[in-house]
Amino acid sequence: MSLREISQSNFFQKVKIDRAHIDVLFQSLKNRGYSLVGPKISEGAIIYDFLDVVDELPIGWTDEQEAGTYRIKQREDQTLFGYNLGPHSWKQFLFSARKRVWQGQKTSEGSFKTVQEIATQSQRYAFIGVRSCELHAIQIQDRVFMNSQYQDTEYKQKRADNFIVAVNCGQAGKTCFCTSLNTGPRVSQGYDLALTEILDSGTHYFVVESGSERGLAVLQELPCQSVSNNDLEAVDKCIEKAVGQMGRAIDTTDIKAFLYRNYDNKHWQKLEERCLTCANCTMVCPTCFCSKIEDTTDLTGEYAERWQTWDSCFTMDFSYTHGGAVRASTQSRYRQWLVHKLASWIDQFGTSGCVGCGRCITWCPVGIDLTEEIKALKQAEREAKNGEN
Ligand code: SF4
Ligand code: SF4
């Protein structure tokens, strides 16, 4: 039975497809000219990269995470999306980690004339396997790059035709805390298709929901069956399991006011001894968006280029102004990051800058955990009020 026969009333439709038909989904997206990007195993991690066939997915693999620890291991089943999150986020495909933004040739008058680059066709990405927290992160970056006074034209172009195949999480990692930020684990917005992977008594299938007109058009090409109440219950059970496994939590009640009144909290000093200012946390964070601009010339001085590269508030140079860095100490840089993520981001963009993906906890080489730091700051505030130090 085709979906066309099931209903055409609107584009929010739910159907069931067999595991064996996921390759039809891949083919349908490729036929539309999309470059598929999704999870695959590389160098001991589940990363995001270009995909051609379903077999490249991390079939039968999962990951184990803790503060400062990440390992992949084989599962006992053959799930396609049975892992949590790896070190990559989707931002690297929308906001390049390093790109040339200008090139110029010296003129006889001594100034530089722009060398026009041959325009390349912008890539149309279909992201496969986007989790709910990651969808929220993409929407946060949309506000930064597309919905403000200064817009990133390349980002805007890539997002305009960016097909999203989301996946409801069937498990949560030990560093996940999306439930604290209301960003998951159930996919609720910003997707074209949302999949839930069900393995039950020897059957392996997906409940697929379309969330846009173009999502529905793809769904109409998949061999599908109608969903039963049992299937919908299986979806709920799968997501409830992930909620129950949430490894971390953060109390966000009054978090903005709490952080603003705690600039001088003594606990920040403890970060001085622990944080390496390596910037890993900002590189893996799906919402961090800072970059720097560098100009270079060749040895003759006749040819110049301007490059944009991801940067981080953890580097000394990031806050350099005339005469020195504004945030010279480690504690001031960690405080800037945490206060921006959970407090001033709200003033700037109307939303928290954290989606609870847990990457900064997993990939911090010394295991600094923002959920624990918030608890420690609260404890230090209580002690200061009670005059205990
Ligand atoms: S908090 Fe961890 S990951 Fe972030 S800069 Fe410090 S040491 Fe590096
Ligand atoms: S701050 Fe950490 S937990 Fe929050 S979105 Fe960034 S990487 Fe994920």
Side-chain angles (χ1 to χ4, degrees):
M1 174 162 100
S2 85
L3 176 68
R4 220 177 276 280
E5 291 155 35
I6 295 170
S7 170
Q8 279 198 315
S9 56
N10 60 49
F11 49 75
F12 294 104
Q13 299 293 334
K14 277 184 186 154
V15 296
K16 175 175 166 176
I17 67 167
D18 198 79
R19 148 72 179 92
H21 294 132
I22 290 293
D23 59 344
V24 184
L25 169 63
F26 273 42
Q27 196 51 53
S28 172
L29 292 169
K30 283 200 271 184
N31 292 347
R32 285 170 163 74
Y34 287 110
S35 301
L36 308 192
V37 183
K40 62 161 70 161
I41 292 179
S42 176
E43 296 180 26
I46 295 170
I47 54 120
Y48 296 146
D49 200 353
F50 290 98
L51 294 175
D52 191 33
V53 291
V54 175
D55 282 351
E56 289 176 280
L57 293 171
I59 300 171
W61 285 88
T62 192
D63 52 53
E64 285 182 336
Q65 306 190 35
E66 249 306 340
T69 305
Y70 175 94
R71 298 280 180 277
I72 54 170
K73 69 167 204 181
Q74 270 190 300
R75 298 171 59 99
E76 284 169 6
D77 58 31
Q78 291 295 297
T79 51
L80 272 50
F81 299 100
Y83 54 89
N84 301 298
L85 295 169
H88 284 183
S89 70
W90 305 97
K91 78 175 176 184
Q92 70 201 22
F93 298 96
L94 300 168
F95 169 48
S96 309
R98 182 166 159 77
K99 72 171 180 190
R100 185 169 57 199
V101 291
W102 176 84
Q103 53 185 323
Q105 192 73 44
K106 206 172 199 175
T107 63
S108 49
E109 290 86 45
S111 58
F112 277 90
K113 184 174 158 234
T114 300
V115 175
Q116 294 296 344
E117 285 196 67
I118 301 159
T120 50
Q121 226 184 349
S122 148
Q123 216 147 8
R124 298 170 69 231
Y125 295 123
F127 292 164
I128 314 284
V130 185
R131 305 306 172 104
S132 179
C133 65
E134 299 186 299
L135 273 175
H136 281 266
I138 291 172
Q139 284 164 2
I140 288 171
Q141 290 216 320
D142 286 352
R143 287 174 193 232
V144 177
F145 292 122
M146 303 193 329
N147 303 341
S148 64
Q149 190 184 353
Y150 305 101
Q151 303 197 347
D152 184 317
T153 46
E154 189 184 323
Y155 182 96
K156 210 171 166 179
Q157 236 170 27
K158 286 177 175 169
R159 279 290 285 142
D161 201 5
N162 178 200
F163 195 99
I164 305 259
V165 179
V167 171
N168 280 316
C169 291
Q171 62 179 55
K174 291 203 174 121
T175 57
C176 292
F177 57 103
C178 62
T179 42
S180 301
L181 278 309
N182 293 323
T183 56
R186 187 187 284 271
V187 169
S188 60
Q189 52 176 343
Y191 61 91
D192 294 294
L193 292 175
L195 316 182
T196 309
E197 184 167 24
I198 314 277
L199 270 106
D200 189 22
S201 326
T203 56
H204 190 176
Y205 66 96
F206 288 83
V207 172
V208 187
E209 189 181 335
S210 53
S212 69
E213 209 164 326
R214 63 185 175 188
L216 179 64
V218 172
L219 200 57
Q220 285 173 336
E221 292 176 6
L222 307 179
C224 66
Q225 301 161 276
S226 27
V227 278
S228 65
N229 284 340
N230 283 349
D231 298 326
L232 296 178
E233 271 171 30
V235 170
D236 289 345
K237 245 165 71 181
C238 166
I239 297 167
E240 276 160 25
K241 189 172 140 219
V243 171
Q245 290 177 343
M246 215 51 57
R248 295 287 197 279
I250 192 169
D251 179 8
T252 56
T253 319
D254 211 19
I255 189 89
K256 191 173 91 167
F258 164 73
L259 285 168
Y260 280 171
R261 71 172 179 263
N262 274 279
Y263 281 128
D264 296 323
N265 190 307
K266 281 196 161 179
H267 181 71
W268 297 118
Q269 287 166 19
K270 300 228 167 106
L271 273 311
E272 195 71 36
E273 296 148 24
R274 296 166 61 214
C275 177
L276 309 172
T277 65
C278 65
N280 261 19
C281 47
T282 49
M283 295 296 114
V284 295
C285 178
T287 65
C288 278
F289 57 82
C290 289
S291 63
K292 66 181 172 201
I293 295 289
E294 283 171 318
D295 290 343
T296 58
T297 62
D298 66 1
L299 286 177
T300 65
E302 298 293 317
Y303 174 77
E305 291 188 343
R306 176 162 294 166
W307 285 81
Q308 183 183 37
T309 317
W310 286 1
D311 201 359
S312 166
C313 50
F314 278 94
T315 68
M316 180 74 98
D317 281 353
F318 187 75
S319 69
Y320 185 90
T321 54
H322 173 73
V326 172
R327 291 185 283 272
S329 69
T330 296
Q331 60 171 300
S332 66
R333 278 177 262 161
Y334 187 87
R335 182 181 62 189
Q336 153 65 24
W337 175 73
L338 193 65
V339 173
H340 190 211
K341 279 281 154 204
L342 295 169
S344 49
W345 205 297
I346 300 170
D347 287 333
Q348 207 176 355
F349 300 109
T351 169
S352 167
C354 176
V355 294
C357 73
R359 286 185 178 92
C360 58
I361 305 171
T362 299
W363 295 95
C364 172
V366 291
I368 294 174
D369 173 347
L370 81 168
T371 65
E372 291 299 322
E373 297 314 314
I374 293 290
K375 283 182 206 154
L377 284 162
K378 287 188 172 172
Q379 177 63 21
E381 185 187 49
R382 275 193 296 273
E383 287 171 5
K385 266 189 199 150
N386 296 337
E388 287 173 28
N389 48 1

